[in-house]
Amino acid sequence: MTLIQVTGRGGEVQEVESDETVLYHAYDETTGGYLGLLDAGVRAPGMCPAGSAPPPEGTWKMQNGEWVRVITLVEAKLRKWAQIKALRQEKEWGGFTWDGSVFDSDAASQSRIMAAATYLSLMALPSSFSKVWTLADNTTRTLDATQMRGVVLALGAHIETLRQTSTTLRAAIAACTNLEGVDTISWP
């Protein structure tokens, strides 16, 4: 029996007893894919020795003597969807225009607009509604009841348009059958 050092997928090195059989990490010469820890007596065309196992997380292939991370289609789709959601939120919170004025639309601003809409809907005499609103550029505009309703509807349309766009993009991501297809998807 001989003690040999074996490197595991997690990079940990262990000493194991061997009865003269030597083990080695191998990869497929064509694909670069890891084949595992093999007995030295196991050889086949296209099997190449690797100095170590690939890192434990993710999918890896051997390229120019180095383990290189491979992004799978599932990972690419998840990353693309996260990117689309971040863009949607950025655009949602980036403001909207109604009647020539740019309004803020971050979470706090949306809450304020909806609070004003609720207040307006509960007023006994909505015709007396008058609200000085601070716009995105910090100028102000006085809104009457009809104008406030217009702002609320414009905010709703702004958010709904973004939601529809992201829903369409999510369906396109799901339909992709290769990495190149995922890469071509972008916010219009």
Side-chain angles (χ1 to χ4, degrees):
M1 289 292 209
T2 321
L3 277 179
I4 61 169
Q5 288 189 342
V6 177
T7 305
R9 286 198 97 209
E12 71 281 353
V13 177
Q14 298 177 344
E15 287 191 351
V16 295
E17 287 187 8
S18 173
D19 60 355
E20 304 204 25
T21 301
V22 177
L23 303 173
Y24 70 101
H25 296 283
Y27 67 94
D28 181 297
E29 185 176 39
T30 305
T31 66
Y34 183 61
L35 298 174
L37 194 57
L38 304 176
D39 184 301
V42 176
R43 292 284 178 166
M47 291 172 68
C48 296
S52 67
E57 298 297 321
T59 302
W60 298 80
K61 72 176 183 175
M62 181 63 72
Q63 187 174 336
N64 300 323
E66 301 279 333
W67 289 114
V68 177
R69 180 78 162 78
V70 176
I71 303 301
T72 65
L73 182 58
V74 169
E75 290 171 320
K77 287 179 176 186
L78 290 172
R79 286 181 181 184
K80 183 59 76 169
W81 177 235
Q83 181 186 51
I84 295 296
K85 288 193 308 185
L87 281 167
R88 178 187 64 205
Q89 183 172 335
E90 181 182 312
K91 290 178 179 299
E92 179 181 332
W93 289 3
F96 68 99
T97 302
W98 176 79
D99 193 35
S101 297
V102 180
F103 289 77
D104 288 321
S105 60
D106 56 66
S109 297
Q110 288 183 34
S111 178
R112 289 183 192 110
I113 290 170
M114 296 315 297
T118 301
Y119 173 71
L120 175 61
S121 70
L122 297 174
M123 286 183 68
L125 299 170
S127 59
S128 66
F129 181 89
S130 179
K131 179 79 172 160
V132 176
W133 202 268
T134 303
L135 303 172
D137 64 1
N138 287 321
T139 60
T140 59
R141 178 175 176 170
T142 302
L143 301 171
D144 64 22
T146 301
Q147 292 169 325
M148 189 70 233
R149 285 186 186 101
V151 169
V152 171
L153 292 173
L155 172 62
H158 169 71
I159 293 169
E160 181 58 18
T161 298
L162 296 171
R163 187 201 65 76
Q164 287 175 1
T165 300
S166 65
T167 299
T168 300
L169 292 173
R170 187 172 197 179
I173 293 167
C176 285
T177 57
N178 57 50
L179 294 173
E180 293 76 23
V182 175
D183 286 343
T184 63
I185 295 172
S186 63
W187 195 276

